[in-house]
Every structure is written in C-alpha cells, then in structure tokens.
Amino acid sequence: MGSESHQPIHVFFFPLMGHGHLRPTIDMAKLFAARGVKATIVTTPRNMPLIYKTCGINIDIQIIKFPAVEAGLPEGCENIESLTSLEMVQNFIKATKMLQQPLQQLLQDHQPSCLVADDFFPWANDVAAKFGIPRLVFNGTSFFSLTICHAMRRYEPHKKVSSDSEVFVIPNFPGEIKLTRKQLPNFTQQEVETDITKLLKEVTEAELSSYGVVVNSFYELESDYADFYRKVLGRKAWHIGPVSLRNKGAEDKAPRGKESSIDEHDCLKWLGTKKPNSVVYICFGSIANFSDSENCFSDSLLMEIAMGLEASEQHFIWVVKNGENEKEKEDWLPKGFEKRMEGKGLILRGWAPQVLILDHEAVGGFVTHCGWNSILEGVSAGVPMVTWPMRADQFYNAKLVTQVLKIGVDVAAQQWKRMEGDTIKREAIDKAVRQIMVGEEAEEMRSRAKKLGEMAKRAVEDGGSSYSDLNALIEELRSHCP
Ligand code: UDP
C-alpha cells in the first residue's frame, strides 16, 4: 500500500450507543488502525468502559456528555439496552440530536480527515460538511436490507395487495424476493408520522446524500445486492466485513464488551461433552424486550419456547435476557423443566459469550432474532439458522438467510408479525429446530453455511474481497487529504 510515504489519515468513528453498534465499530476501528490509520472512537461516559476494555492502546477514545436528564431520561441512561419503554426510546432520540454541538467541537479540536458516523445520526452529514471532510455512514446492516428498503420505498408493493397475508414480490429487484405485509417491519406500514418514522426518513435522506456507506458484510455473501446498491442505486459503498473475524483467539472473542453470565470455561466445558453439531443455540440479541413494546416475550411465549425445545429432543443453550422476564424462573418455565433438562439444556440468564458458543463444533444450529451481527456470526460459524425476526432490518435479514442463502428456515413463516408473537406455538418451534438440526435438509443447509463461513474467513484475509475493499477505501480517503 505504500502507507509509509503518507501522513496518517485520521478517522473519527461515532457509533450509536448500543452493543450491536458499538461492537462492530470497535472492530472496524481496529481494522483501520491496523492499516496505519489514526482511529478515534467518540462515545459517552457510560459507554466508555465497554470500549476501553476491548479497544487496545492504538485507538483513541473521546468522550462527550450524554444529555440524558435534559432529554427526560434517568441519569446514566446512555445506551439503547437500558431503554425500557417507547417513551424512553423517543427521549433517547431527542438526546442523540443534542450531541451535534459537542461532536462539532471535537471535530474542531482534532481536525480528522473523515467521520464515520452511525446512520442513527443523520445530522452528521452537516457536521462533516462544516469541516469539508467526508461523512461515511455505518448502519450495521446488510446490503440486502439496504437495497430492499430502497425498493420498498420506491415501489410500495405492500400497498398493492389486498390483505396482510397476500404474497408480493419486490419489483425490479434481484432474486424474486417474496414477502407479505405480516413480514414487514412496523415502520413500513405506519401512515402517521412519529418521532421514529421521522428519524428513519431523515436517516434515508442522509444515507443518500452522504459520501458513502461502509458495510459490515462480504461481497461473496450478497454480491447481487452489493452490485445493485452500487450500480443500480449509484451509491458508493465499501464492504469490509465480517469485522468481528479480526478477533481470532478465544480471549478476543469472549468478553466482547460485557461480562458473561456464565464463566466461558464452564460453557466450553459443557459444550465439550456434546457431539459435533448436536446443540442448538437460542438468543434474541442484546436488547431487552420491554413489556409495552411490540417485542415483548410474555410468560406464555417463553413457555412455548421451553416446550418446543424439549419436544425437539435437541441439546440446547438458551439465552434469556433479564428484561424478557423478571419473575422467578418457576413462573414461566414448565414444571420440572430445568431438572428434566439437566445435562441436555443450559439456560443462560443475562449475557452469553455468543461468538465462542457459535464457533464451538458442538453447536449445529442457531435460533436468532436476525440482528445483522448475529447473522454474520452465524454465517462465519457455518451454522444453519431458525429466523425469528422482531424489528427493523431483522425482517429483511431473515429473508436473506432463508430465500437467498438458503441456510435457514422461518420459525413460523406466516406469523412473524410481532403482535402475533404469542401465536408462535411449541409445535412450530419444535419443527423449525428439527429442520435445521436433523435430516437431509439440515445437512444441505449446514454444508452451504460452512462454505459461506469459509468464504467469510477468506474475505478478510490478505487479498480477500473485504481486505481489498478496505484498502480501496483508505486510499480514497487519503486522496482527500492535503
Ligand atoms: N451478544 C452476545 N451475547 C448475548 C447477546 C448478544 O455476545 O447474550 C452479541 C452478539 O454476539 C452480537 C450482538 O451482541 O454481536 C448483538 O447484535 P445484533 O446485531 O445481532 O442484534 P441487536 O442486539 O443489535 O438487536
């Protein structure tokens, strides 16, 4: 690359304060730093320890105050994982808008060459423009979901069907992707403008007028959609992932910013007693599911999951977040469940060392909410998935897994829609888990998933597609520097 002959460029990273955004940003900053770029992550006091623990010495961290109280949030509420109601979400959005001024001051003080800011901060385009530097968007999702969002907005195929369950195909879009209104994120269907829909509109506009987008994906995974984004939509984009694959050793993979609810060694020891591909891992991401939201896990749904897992006769690790159910376990688990499942199933309450678990050879399947990091981790580990999306891009990521990559099955194809969450019954869970764990279909999906996992690893190695695209991005940023 000949980087020695240049002044190092300086990139500011400004992630949304949430685990699923902070974590890939840290990995991304490390990748840039490893290529001789000066990398600075901007965050707020409460999120600093998460970054500090995983970052290493070659990344600078800058802190700005988070105006929680000013926006009507409790003191110290600075992370999307601590939001427990829709009102708090709205206030959180309000607080993030107030970060514009302090970020501007930091840019003034440090004069970086580029700002990579989360898509949640649409105003970051204006901030970067004030200093004449490119603003890159990082939205932590797939090319597939980026492109499908544009196609949905442009053609509105969901408005041309007569019922929520009538299937439509996304027009002028690769792959003949079939959807129903029941399988769409809530915001696509809201007619009345809310703070959230307003923000999403601004996010789209800012994405289109930004310098370009950095995507945590690899070309081989979704080449049709990467091409579509660049060639048909005419947008600049760089695929540089899976960024988490830079964490190679167990120590690198284990803490990932939060303490696990189980000692990693105990978890690995338990997995070590199981046969290859015999354990299914169930986890619905990092965000608690609060009771007045669309994503609530009711007692009855948790009961269905438990019964479905038991009926499937598979070994399992099931992660239950505190927010999902704060009552004592006896209230929502079937009678005698934990006793019956001794040695067969592990329930982790709280935080799981997900990447370590998925990468273990005993794990043969993943029931996921389809957050993009989880999908990439599942792909990198080469495991088939049961898709159980709950919000936002997760609905589209699920379609990528089942319809395009063909490495997973829907938990209950017609019933994703959140309000009907409780209608997902144990029989559907049992069936979907068996489909990815046993039989010919499971083997075929596993074989495709393993191939993709290999491709993912190659993509980030020297000369791989993501490695090369990151080089290309750095060279382009360098060409902007004086
Ligand atoms: N994660 C984890 N342990 C948990 C829950 C989540 O390590 O118990 C990690 C997971 O590996 C992933 C991230 O948190 O990297 C969640 O990001 P994703 O995009 O999948 O979903 P989100 O939580 O943002 O909805």
Side-chain angles (χ1 to χ4, degrees), residues 418-437:
R418 307 139 296 277
M419 306 315 273
E420 296 168 35
D422 275 7
T423 66
I424 294 181
K425 295 290 180 213
R426 62 194 71 173
E427 292 78 14
I429 298 163
D430 168 16
K431 184 173 167 215
V433 167
R434 284 174 191 269
Q435 266 180 294
I436 61 159
M437 293 300 286

Side-chain angles (χ1 to χ4, degrees), residues 19-20 23 283 285-286 319 321 351-352 354 369 371-374 377:
H19 198 78
R23 194 166 139 157
C283 180
S286 61
V319 187
K321 293 274 170 290
W351 196 252
Q354 177 159 308
H369 73 311
W372 184 238
N373 295 300
S374 292
E377 287 157 10

Side-chain angles (χ1 to χ4, degrees), residues 143-401:
F143 273 113
F144 183 79
S145 138
L146 279 175
T147 46
I148 215 170
C149 281
H150 284 284
M152 288 292 295
R153 260 188 305 271
R154 180 153 181 198
Y155 303 112
E156 302 192 318
H158 56 297
K159 295 195 175 159
K160 294 167 191 150
V161 284
S162 52
S163 77
D164 285 352
S165 51
E166 187 180 332
V167 174
F168 59 85
V169 173
I170 313 268
N172 304 318
F173 195 68
E176 221 202 323
I177 305 302
K178 294 186 180 122
L179 279 160
T180 66
R181 281 207 294 245
K182 280 186 175 191
Q183 299 173 336
L184 291 177
N186 246 0
F187 59 80
T188 47
Q189 299 175 71
Q190 264 165 356
E191 298 296 342
V192 185
E193 191 172 76
T194 63
D195 286 353
I196 296 172
T197 56
K198 191 162 168 271
L199 173 70
L200 291 171
K201 203 162 154 241
E202 288 166 7
V203 162
T204 313
E205 284 160 8
E207 180 200 315
L208 294 175
S209 56
S210 70
Y211 187 81
V213 180
V214 188
V215 186
N216 182 15
S217 186
F218 59 104
Y219 185 72
E220 295 77 2
L221 184 69
E222 37 172 3
S223 52
D224 283 351
Y225 304 97
D227 289 345
F228 190 88
Y229 192 70
R230 292 176 175 124
K231 294 178 189 157
V232 181
L233 299 178
R235 301 288 302 129
K236 268 179 185 271
W238 293 266
H239 54 267
I240 64 165
V243 293
S244 68
L245 283 183
R246 69 161 311 288
N247 302 300
K248 296 225 164 67
E251 266 176 33
D252 250 350
K253 291 177 191 174
R256 312 298 284 130
K258 275 204 186 191
E259 292 305 329
S260 295
S261 62
I262 183 169
D263 184 288
E264 281 96 38
H265 301 291
D266 290 345
C267 190
L268 294 181
K269 212 162 120 196
W270 188 87
L271 282 169
T273 63
K274 307 290 174 252
K275 291 199 187 106
N277 300 324
S278 67
V279 178
V280 60
Y281 170 68
I282 301 103
C283 180
F284 297 100
S286 61
I287 299 169
N289 297 281
F290 35 87
S291 58
D292 62 345
S293 89
E294 60 208 20
N295 307 310
C296 175
F297 278 80
S298 64
D299 283 5
S300 63
L301 184 55
L302 288 165
M303 173 76 89
E304 293 301 316
I305 297 176
M307 298 300 277
L309 286 174
E310 185 170 5
S312 77
E313 299 180 315
Q314 305 303 307
H315 294 287
F316 63 84
I317 295 182
W318 176 18
V319 187
V320 182
K321 293 274 170 290
N322 293 339
E324 279 164 23
N325 196 301
E326 268 148 29
K327 295 176 197 163
E328 288 303 309
K329 57 189 174 183
E330 286 75 16
D331 285 350
W332 53 270
L333 278 179
K335 222 172 168 6
F337 181 78
E338 280 193 282
K339 184 113 198 71
R340 283 199 303 281
M341 292 300 110
E342 246 171 42
K344 183 144 203 186
L346 205 55
I347 299 181
L348 303 187
R349 292 175 174 79
W351 196 252
Q354 177 159 308
V355 178
L356 270 185
I357 292 173
L358 283 172
D359 282 353
H360 196 285
E361 61 166 6
V363 175
F366 182 15
V367 179
T368 171
H369 73 311
C370 302
W372 184 238
N373 295 300
S374 292
I375 297 288
L376 276 181
E377 287 157 10
V379 163
S380 304
V383 292
M385 296 175 237
V386 171
T387 55
W388 190 327
M390 290 171 188
R391 63 179 94 83
D393 64 324
Q394 295 160 11
F395 289 87
Y396 299 139
N397 297 336
K399 287 283 160 187
L400 176 70
V401 168

Side-chain angles (χ1 to χ4, degrees), residues 407-450:
I407 56 166
V409 296
D410 300 325
V411 69
Q414 294 308 311
Q415 296 175 350
W416 277 351
K417 185 111 176 142
R418 307 139 296 277
M419 306 315 273
E420 296 168 35
D422 275 7
T423 66
I424 294 181
K425 295 290 180 213
R426 62 194 71 173
E427 292 78 14
I429 298 163
D430 168 16
K431 184 173 167 215
V433 167
R434 284 174 191 269
Q435 266 180 294
I436 61 159
M437 293 300 286
V438 286
E440 210 174 304
E441 192 191 356
E443 279 317 309
E444 282 167 15
M445 284 190 282
R446 183 161 300 117
S447 148
R448 278 193 286 274
K450 293 257 177 267

